Amino acid sequence: MQKLREFKLPNFFNYPPYFTLQPVRDTREKQIQLWKELIIDYCKTQKIFVIGIEDEFPLFTNTVIERSLTHEAREAFLSALVSEGRAEWMDKGRRKCLIFWHRIQDWADILLQFAKDNGLEDGVVTIEEIRFGTESQGTELQGIDRTILNRALKLLEQKGKLVVFKGTSTDDEGIKFSV
Amino acid sequence: MRRRPGIGGLQTAAAARDQYRLLGENVAKIRTDMMKEQLSTFRSQLEDFARKHKNDIRKNPAFRSQFHEMCAKVGVDPLASNKGFWAELLGIGDFYYELGVQIVDICLATRPLNGGLINLQELCNLLRQRRKSDRGVVSEDDCLRAISKLKVLGSGFEVISVGKKKLVRSVPTELNKDHNEILELAQGQGFVTVDQVERRLSWTSGRAIDALDTLLDDGLAMIDDGHKDGKRRYWFPCVSPISSLTGTDSL
């Protein structure tokens, strides 16, 4: 649990019944809504892209009130995000979940903005540079999950805004913008 | 009157009748004039008072409540109409209508969380948070007054007493005696278990489960299966407001 101190938790996180999946539909819907928002908010501020359902994810347990989400509840909340297009199961067994705290479309827009900000409208950049280069430092692209980046790139490629070309190894895979 | 014959007699009688009528009218006029004068004095005094203490009435909830009491004693309801000198002078009608609207808003917004039953105290807190930029303070008395005005709308806003606490109901669900007793019991810890209800209220288990299920279905209760002892707890957001919880603020 590193550098998480600045995250402000909502009040419901301290109310025990929110850790049990509610049987009554209306109550459950509200519960799921609150958890969805919390998960997205948290992942966004902490730059988390993948949640393992059995992992010791800080949101899944509140040690102060001694409550922990059941597997069923975790799956229900993440599934709700998946059905909204805010997340995606990474395996059939639903053990890992990829969180889109920006939708793919928004990631694509961020990439285009990145290209504009760095005068790359017609330029070439490697994937490594986007993820860890000096240009992306301090931007949301820094450390972006590879799968999510690929999705956004594919979307832009379909729109003809860039071309992805393979290098000799995965490390020097690059893209050429044509914005 | 002794009856006198002839035209002269009739004329005298008619003249006397006229005079009586005139006198009667005079007396009545004097009376109404006096009443009018008294009323206008009273009104101007009340206006003077209200004008003089305008700021106190607006800003000080305790003073406002006393002012209402005084008005009630003399049979004046400053909230009866939004027109008239009270509204013009104090904007006091507006104040309560505004509160009413905000109360409806808060009740609707928190309904999914508490099933439409909210602690008066919590309602006031939320109201204050919402109006924090606004001048003046809002007391529970003000809330109650605003809610009593909402009743006119027939929208089912009602204040009910459960134990020592006052709860504001914004849904038409009727709470029966069993439900009330459970809510009262829950005020201690914020939750109850089936065992507790049976023991403390000396009910059969069927009765307890039945009542708890109804409260659950109405969205007034939430279950909690996470405690170590394995006993299901029924929590009631309306008696232990989520906004006043203490626990971790950050991870």
Side-chain angles (χ1 to χ4, degrees):
Chain A
M1 275 206 254
Q2 71 287 14
K3 63 156 187 166
L4 311 182
R5 310 249 168 253
E6 67 273 27
F7 189 74
K8 174 96 177 79
L9 283 158
N11 285 317
F12 82 83
F13 194 71
N14 293 313
Y15 200 54
Y18 276 93
F19 282 80
T20 301
L21 200 58
Q22 293 300 308
V24 176
R25 200 180 51 122
D26 285 354
T27 320
R28 185 174 61 241
E29 273 171 14
K30 184 67 195 178
Q31 178 190 24
I32 290 177
Q33 182 61 35
L34 288 171
W35 274 101
K36 276 194 308 199
E37 287 164 15
L38 175 60
I39 291 170
I40 290 284
D41 263 13
Y42 184 77
C43 287
K44 192 172 179 175
T45 49
Q46 309 299 327
K47 288 190 170 275
I48 293 167
F49 292 95
V50 177
I51 297 177
I53 204 161
E54 295 301 342
D55 289 357
E56 284 193 12
F57 187 57
L59 288 183
F60 289 166
T61 304
N62 184 341
T63 47
V64 177
I65 59 166
E66 297 182 317
R67 291 293 184 279
S68 202
L69 284 176
T70 59
H71 183 91
E72 184 201 14
R74 294 175 193 198
E75 198 178 308
F77 302 152
L78 292 174
S79 293
L81 284 172
V82 170
S83 69
E84 263 181 28
R86 303 303 303 259
E88 206 172 271
W89 294 111
M90 297 169 79
D91 54 343
K92 276 226 170 79
R94 298 187 163 191
R95 278 184 305 272
K96 279 188 169 206
C97 194
L98 191 61
I99 307 292
F100 308 140
W101 27 272
H102 286 312
R103 290 165 195 276
I104 296 298
Q105 175 61 54
D106 297 333
W107 278 117
D109 291 344
I110 290 170
L111 267 172
L112 290 180
Q113 192 57 47
F114 171 79
K116 276 177 198 150
D117 289 347
N118 293 286
L120 289 167
E121 281 99 331
D122 233 357
V124 175
V125 66
T126 67
I127 302 252
E128 279 308 294
E129 279 173 323
I130 291 179
R131 297 179 69 199
F132 306 110
T134 43
E135 290 89 350
S136 70
Q137 244 172 44
T139 73
E140 291 192 288
L141 288 172
Q142 189 181 10
I144 183 175
D145 178 84
R146 191 59 204 262
T147 319
I148 292 174
L149 180 59
N150 281 350
R151 288 286 177 75
L153 291 174
K154 205 182 251 171
L155 185 72
L156 288 173
E157 200 169 24
Q158 280 163 3
K159 288 185 178 172
K161 305 261 186 192
L162 55 79
V163 183
V164 180
F165 52 87
K166 301 253 184 287
T168 44
S169 70
T170 45
D171 283 353
D172 43 57
E173 225 173 294
I175 52 175
K176 180 174 191 306
F177 283 104
S178 49
V179 183
Chain B
M1 194 196 301
R2 192 164 60 90
R3 194 166 160 259
R4 286 203 277 171
I7 286 246
L10 287 174
Q11 278 170 341
T12 328
R17 256 199 315 278
D18 273 353
Q19 289 213 328
Y20 278 127
R21 194 170 42 82
L22 226 71
L23 190 68
E25 273 169 12
N26 259 337
V27 171
K29 192 171 176 297
I30 290 167
R31 283 224 181 115
T32 35
D33 280 354
M34 253 166 69
M35 283 289 271
K36 268 186 194 156
E37 202 184 299
Q38 271 176 4
L39 261 177
S40 78
T41 325
F42 169 70
R43 197 180 136 134
S44 74
Q45 296 270 347
L46 209 56
E47 277 185 56
D48 273 355
F49 176 83
R51 203 172 281 127
K52 208 161 131 196
H53 297 285
K54 192 172 165 178
N55 279 339
D56 289 324
I57 291 171
R58 270 197 195 153
K59 285 191 180 139
N60 183 342
F63 195 91
R64 190 157 56 231
S65 130
Q66 279 168 359
F67 178 71
H68 276 295
E69 238 170 72
M70 191 181 82
C71 287
K73 268 187 196 141
V74 295
V76 174
D77 182 2
L79 297 182
S81 157
N82 204 21
K83 294 195 184 92
F85 82 103
W86 294 111
E88 285 155 28
L89 198 63
L90 299 172
I92 203 163
D94 285 342
F95 172 77
Y96 285 101
Y97 294 123
E98 200 180 285
L99 274 194
V101 171
Q102 285 166 338
I103 286 172
V104 172
D105 243 25
I106 291 172
C107 285
L108 285 182
T110 56
R111 198 178 279 177
L113 299 172
N114 55 30
L117 203 56
I118 188 169
N119 200 326
L120 179 63
Q121 234 177 329
E122 194 194 9
L123 179 64
C124 280
N125 286 341
L126 291 172
L127 205 52
R128 281 180 204 130
Q129 272 172 30
R130 216 187 159 135
R131 300 170 58 89
K132 61 177 177 281
S133 58
D134 228 1
R135 67 277 106 124
V137 207
V138 180
S139 69
E140 289 188 6
D141 181 76
D142 291 327
C143 279
L144 290 176
R145 248 172 242 288
I147 292 164
S148 76
K149 293 291 144 191
L150 288 176
K151 265 190 205 155
V152 182
L153 300 173
S155 52
F157 274 83
E158 201 184 11
V159 180
I160 55 174
S161 294
V162 174
K164 278 180 215 149
K165 285 188 181 165
K166 284 201 171 74
L167 303 179
V168 180
R169 201 187 66 186
S170 62
V171 282
T173 354
E174 283 290 339
L175 291 177
N176 66 25
K177 201 166 154 288
D178 281 8
H179 302 151
N180 257 313
E181 282 183 57
I182 289 178
L183 285 179
E184 196 171 339
L185 187 61
Q187 281 177 17
Q189 296 165 289
F191 68 88
V192 295
T193 63
V194 175
D195 272 5
Q196 264 177 357
V197 174
E198 286 169 25
R199 218 168 352 113
R200 297 278 298 278
L201 302 174
S202 320
W203 288 0
T204 61
S205 122
R207 185 176 173 188
I209 290 171
D210 202 48
L212 286 169
D213 275 351
T214 311
L215 289 168
L216 205 59
D217 282 341
D218 287 344
L220 293 174
M222 291 178 86
I223 55 162
D224 164 29
D225 291 335
H227 195 258
K228 293 194 282 287
D229 65 11
K231 282 184 187 154
R232 175 170 284 189
R233 295 177 168 191
Y234 292 79
W235 290 80
F236 298 89
C238 56
V239 298
S240 55
I242 293 171
S243 62
S244 66
L245 289 174
T246 48
T248 44
D249 268 352
S250 57
L251 287 168

